[in-house]
């Protein structure tokens, strides 16, 4: 064998070794890429399986439609503080009682207020007219000469009321005193209302 032939064979052997070495390195690189997941290998058996059959399929079911029902935590509703009770208003003070002058006009006006509260009819003019005829406005007037006086029950006060009549027609809330000018007027008007309809209908001794 010539030197040239031997050299050619050595060159071919070296080339084959290099090629084999390169193919081996390439094979190792592909295997490493497949293992790391950076390269996929086309496997016909796996490619034919539908994705729906894989173990990674997620069935949302009812949880996708009603997430609130599957939730383990709920948001608490806000607490509404009760409305504060209104502050009670103090009751209005009662109207002050009227003050009447201590004279004939004041006695008649006070008597009229009491009569209205007790539904006893009578007017200021009628009361004043009969008082002037019976006693001329003197609350201490007394009749000691008529038939009542003769019977021991003389007429007394502004409207000359005898004791039995005063006791029968006395109005509760007034003094039980025939000499009291207001009590005398109210009792006499109560008697006149029962017998004549009203003191307004009395124009003489009654």
């Amino acid at each position: 064998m010539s030197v040239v032939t031997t050299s050619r064979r050595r060159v071919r052997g070296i080339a084959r070794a290099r090629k084999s070495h390169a193919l081996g390195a390439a094979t190792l690189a592909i295997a490493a890429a497949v293992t790391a997941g950076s390269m996929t290998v086309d496997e016909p058996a796996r490619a034919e399986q539908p994705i729906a059959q894989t173990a990674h399929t997620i069935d949302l079911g009812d949880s996708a439609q009603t997430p609130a029902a599957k939730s383990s935590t709920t948001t608490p509703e806000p607490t509404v503080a009760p409305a504060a009770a209104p502050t009670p208003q103090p009751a209005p003070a009662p109207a002050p009682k009227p003050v009447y002058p201590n004279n004939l006009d004041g006695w008649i006006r006070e008597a009229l207020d009491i009569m209205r509260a007790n539904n006893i009819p009578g007017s200021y003019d009628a009361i004043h007219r009969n008082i002037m005829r019976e006693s001329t406005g003197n609350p201490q007037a007394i009749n000691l000469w008529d038939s009542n006086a003769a019977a021991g029950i003389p007429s007394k006060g502004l409207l000359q009321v005898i004791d039995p009549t005063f006791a029968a027609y006395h109005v509760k809330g007034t003094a039980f005193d025939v000499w009291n000018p207001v009590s005398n007027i109210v009792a006499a008007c109560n008697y006149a209302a029962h017998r004549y309809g009203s003191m307004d209908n009395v124009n003489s001794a009654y």
Side-chain angles (χ1 to χ4, degrees):
M1 184 178 295
S2 65
V3 175
V4 174
T5 302
T6 301
S7 297
R8 287 178 180 176
R9 286 180 179 177
R10 288 179 178 177
V11 170
R12 288 176 183 173
I14 292 170
R16 287 176 182 174
R18 289 178 178 176
K19 183 176 182 181
S20 177
H21 179 72
L23 289 173
T27 301
L28 292 174
I30 291 171
V34 170
T35 302
S38 61
M39 179 179 289
T40 59
V41 179
D42 187 9
E43 297 182 9
R46 293 184 181 178
E48 292 176 357
Q49 295 180 1
I51 296 176
Q53 300 299 322
T54 63
H56 300 289
T57 303
I58 300 174
D59 183 11
L60 295 178
D62 294 339
S63 63
Q65 298 176 358
T66 57
K70 299 295 183 179
S71 176
S72 61
T73 59
T74 57
T75 303
E77 296 183 0
T79 303
V80 180
T87 303
Q89 298 297 321
K97 293 183 178 180
V99 178
Y100 305 96
N102 188 27
N103 54 32
L104 182 59
D105 178 73
W107 301 330
I108 295 175
R109 293 187 184 282
E110 184 176 357
L112 284 170
D113 286 344
I114 296 171
M115 290 164 58
R116 276 190 287 270
N118 289 274
N119 297 314
I120 300 172
S123 65
Y124 184 100
D125 290 341
I127 295 171
H128 187 271
R129 181 181 71 247
N130 281 283
I131 286 176
M132 296 309 293
R133 185 189 66 252
E134 295 291 335
S135 66
T136 65
N138 178 12
Q140 299 300 315
I142 184 171
N143 186 328
L144 297 175
W145 54 267
D146 65 1
S147 59
N148 288 325
I153 46 172
S155 302
K156 302 174 182 177
L158 289 176
L159 284 168
Q160 293 294 281
V161 183
I162 60 176
D163 289 337
T165 300
F166 178 83
Y169 292 96
H170 169 258
V171 175
K172 185 177 180 179
T174 62
F176 195 85
D177 180 6
V178 70
W179 298 107
N180 181 284
V182 175
S183 300
N184 188 285
I185 294 172
V186 175
C189 288
N190 192 25
Y191 164 74
H194 282 81
R195 185 165 182 177
Y196 304 104
S198 172
M199 183 62 77
D200 290 50
N201 299 324
V202 177
N203 294 294
S204 62
Y206 61 105

PDB file of all heavy atoms in Angstrom, residues 57-71:
ATOM      1  N   THR A  57     -58.627  18.124  32.261  1.00  0.00           N
ATOM      2  CA  THR A  57     -59.886  18.814  31.925  1.00  0.00           C
ATOM      3  C   THR A  57     -60.563  19.287  33.205  1.00  0.00           C
ATOM      4  O   THR A  57     -60.706  18.512  34.156  1.00  0.00           O
ATOM      5  CB  THR A  57     -60.829  17.879  31.162  1.00  0.00           C
ATOM      6  OG1 THR A  57     -60.139  17.421  29.996  1.00  0.00           O
ATOM      7  CG2 THR A  57     -62.100  18.607  30.761  1.00  0.00           C
ATOM      8  N   ILE A  58     -61.007  20.566  33.252  1.00  0.00           N
ATOM      9  CA  ILE A  58     -61.634  21.170  34.445  1.00  0.00           C
ATOM     10  C   ILE A  58     -63.119  21.326  34.197  1.00  0.00           C
ATOM     11  O   ILE A  58     -63.535  21.950  33.228  1.00  0.00           O
ATOM     12  CB  ILE A  58     -61.024  22.541  34.767  1.00  0.00           C
ATOM     13  CG1 ILE A  58     -59.519  22.371  35.044  1.00  0.00           C
ATOM     14  CG2 ILE A  58     -61.718  23.195  35.951  1.00  0.00           C
ATOM     15  CD1 ILE A  58     -58.810  23.677  35.237  1.00  0.00           C
ATOM     16  N   ASP A  59     -63.926  20.732  35.060  1.00  0.00           N
ATOM     17  CA  ASP A  59     -65.380  20.840  34.952  1.00  0.00           C
ATOM     18  C   ASP A  59     -65.849  21.916  35.918  1.00  0.00           C
ATOM     19  O   ASP A  59     -65.854  21.726  37.129  1.00  0.00           O
ATOM     20  CB  ASP A  59     -66.025  19.491  35.293  1.00  0.00           C
ATOM     21  CG  ASP A  59     -67.533  19.535  35.109  1.00  0.00           C
ATOM     22  OD1 ASP A  59     -68.020  20.515  34.527  1.00  0.00           O
ATOM     23  OD2 ASP A  59     -68.202  18.577  35.552  1.00  0.00           O
ATOM     24  N   LEU A  60     -66.240  23.054  35.369  1.00  0.00           N
ATOM     25  CA  LEU A  60     -66.685  24.168  36.223  1.00  0.00           C
ATOM     26  C   LEU A  60     -68.032  23.874  36.857  1.00  0.00           C
ATOM     27  O   LEU A  60     -68.311  24.246  37.969  1.00  0.00           O
ATOM     28  CB  LEU A  60     -66.747  25.461  35.404  1.00  0.00           C
ATOM     29  CG  LEU A  60     -65.400  25.956  34.882  1.00  0.00           C
ATOM     30  CD1 LEU A  60     -65.616  27.196  34.053  1.00  0.00           C
ATOM     31  CD2 LEU A  60     -64.428  26.221  36.003  1.00  0.00           C
ATOM     32  N   GLY A  61     -68.894  23.179  36.096  1.00  0.00           N
ATOM     33  CA  GLY A  61     -70.201  22.789  36.637  1.00  0.00           C
ATOM     34  C   GLY A  61     -70.978  23.962  37.176  1.00  0.00           C
ATOM     35  O   GLY A  61     -70.992  25.051  36.614  1.00  0.00           O
ATOM     36  N   ASP A  62     -71.621  23.755  38.316  1.00  0.00           N
ATOM     37  CA  ASP A  62     -72.441  24.804  38.914  1.00  0.00           C
ATOM     38  C   ASP A  62     -71.613  25.920  39.502  1.00  0.00           C
ATOM     39  O   ASP A  62     -72.077  27.033  39.688  1.00  0.00           O
ATOM     40  CB  ASP A  62     -73.321  24.207  40.039  1.00  0.00           C
ATOM     41  CG  ASP A  62     -74.331  23.231  39.476  1.00  0.00           C
ATOM     42  OD1 ASP A  62     -74.605  23.337  38.267  1.00  0.00           O
ATOM     43  OD2 ASP A  62     -74.814  22.383  40.246  1.00  0.00           O
ATOM     44  N   SER A  63     -70.334  25.617  39.803  1.00  0.00           N
ATOM     45  CA  SER A  63     -69.524  26.650  40.446  1.00  0.00           C
ATOM     46  C   SER A  63     -69.289  27.826  39.530  1.00  0.00           C
ATOM     47  O   SER A  63     -69.099  28.945  39.975  1.00  0.00           O
ATOM     48  CB  SER A  63     -68.194  26.068  40.901  1.00  0.00           C
ATOM     49  OG  SER A  63     -67.462  25.618  39.770  1.00  0.00           O
ATOM     50  N   ALA A  64     -69.328  27.595  38.194  1.00  0.00           N
ATOM     51  CA  ALA A  64     -69.117  28.704  37.261  1.00  0.00           C
ATOM     52  C   ALA A  64     -70.334  29.600  37.183  1.00  0.00           C
ATOM     53  O   ALA A  64     -70.252  30.771  36.877  1.00  0.00           O
ATOM     54  CB  ALA A  64     -68.778  28.157  35.866  1.00  0.00           C
ATOM     55  N   GLN A  65     -71.535  29.009  37.468  1.00  0.00           N
ATOM     56  CA  GLN A  65     -72.767  29.784  37.361  1.00  0.00           C
ATOM     57  C   GLN A  65     -73.128  30.471  38.664  1.00  0.00           C
ATOM     58  O   GLN A  65     -73.658  31.554  38.686  1.00  0.00           O
ATOM     59  CB  GLN A  65     -73.915  28.861  36.940  1.00  0.00           C
ATOM     60  CG  GLN A  65     -73.682  28.239  35.565  1.00  0.00           C
ATOM     61  CD  GLN A  65     -74.780  27.262  35.198  1.00  0.00           C
ATOM     62  OE1 GLN A  65     -75.673  27.046  35.992  1.00  0.00           O
ATOM     63  NE2 GLN A  65     -74.706  26.690  34.019  1.00  0.00           N
ATOM     64  N   THR A  66     -72.858  29.801  39.778  1.00  0.00           N
ATOM     65  CA  THR A  66     -73.219  30.373  41.082  1.00  0.00           C
ATOM     66  C   THR A  66     -72.006  30.395  41.987  1.00  0.00           C
ATOM     67  O   THR A  66     -71.876  29.590  42.906  1.00  0.00           O
ATOM     68  CB  THR A  66     -74.346  29.550  41.736  1.00  0.00           C
ATOM     69  OG1 THR A  66     -73.885  28.200  41.843  1.00  0.00           O
ATOM     70  CG2 THR A  66     -75.608  29.607  40.913  1.00  0.00           C
ATOM     71  N   PRO A  67     -71.093  31.298  41.711  1.00  0.00           N
ATOM     72  CA  PRO A  67     -69.880  31.351  42.548  1.00  0.00           C
ATOM     73  C   PRO A  67     -70.181  31.702  43.981  1.00  0.00           C
ATOM     74  O   PRO A  67     -69.472  31.289  44.876  1.00  0.00           O
ATOM     75  CB  PRO A  67     -69.040  32.444  41.869  1.00  0.00           C
ATOM     76  CG  PRO A  67     -70.024  33.278  41.120  1.00  0.00           C
ATOM     77  CD  PRO A  67     -71.083  32.307  40.666  1.00  0.00           C
ATOM     78  N   ALA A  68     -71.238  32.443  44.223  1.00  0.00           N
ATOM     79  CA  ALA A  68     -71.540  32.852  45.597  1.00  0.00           C
ATOM     80  C   ALA A  68     -71.924  31.661  46.443  1.00  0.00           C
ATOM     81  O   ALA A  68     -71.655  31.602  47.623  1.00  0.00           O
ATOM     82  CB  ALA A  68     -72.641  33.894  45.604  1.00  0.00           C
ATOM     83  N   ALA A  69     -72.590  30.624  45.804  1.00  0.00           N
ATOM     84  CA  ALA A  69     -73.019  29.462  46.562  1.00  0.00           C
ATOM     85  C   ALA A  69     -71.851  28.625  47.005  1.00  0.00           C
ATOM     86  O   ALA A  69     -71.911  27.927  47.999  1.00  0.00           O
ATOM     87  CB  ALA A  69     -73.980  28.630  45.724  1.00  0.00           C
ATOM     88  N   LYS A  70     -70.744  28.631  46.225  1.00  0.00           N
ATOM     89  CA  LYS A  70     -69.579  27.826  46.556  1.00  0.00           C
ATOM     90  C   LYS A  70     -68.592  28.572  47.434  1.00  0.00           C
ATOM     91  O   LYS A  70     -67.621  28.013  47.909  1.00  0.00           O
ATOM     92  CB  LYS A  70     -68.878  27.376  45.269  1.00  0.00           C
ATOM     93  CG  LYS A  70     -69.740  26.531  44.360  1.00  0.00           C
ATOM     94  CD  LYS A  70     -70.103  25.218  45.006  1.00  0.00           C
ATOM     95  CE  LYS A  70     -70.921  24.342  44.050  1.00  0.00           C
ATOM     96  NZ  LYS A  70     -71.264  23.041  44.648  1.00  0.00           N
ATOM     97  N   SER A  71     -68.824  29.853  47.606  1.00  0.00           N
ATOM     98  CA  SER A  71     -67.863  30.641  48.361  1.00  0.00           C
ATOM     99  C   SER A  71     -67.954  30.315  49.828  1.00  0.00           C
ATOM    100  O   SER A  71     -69.043  30.161  50.379  1.00  0.00           O
ATOM    101  CB  SER A  71     -68.117  32.133  48.140  1.00  0.00           C
ATOM    102  OG  SER A  71     -67.253  32.896  48.938  1.00  0.00           O
TER     103      SER A  71
END
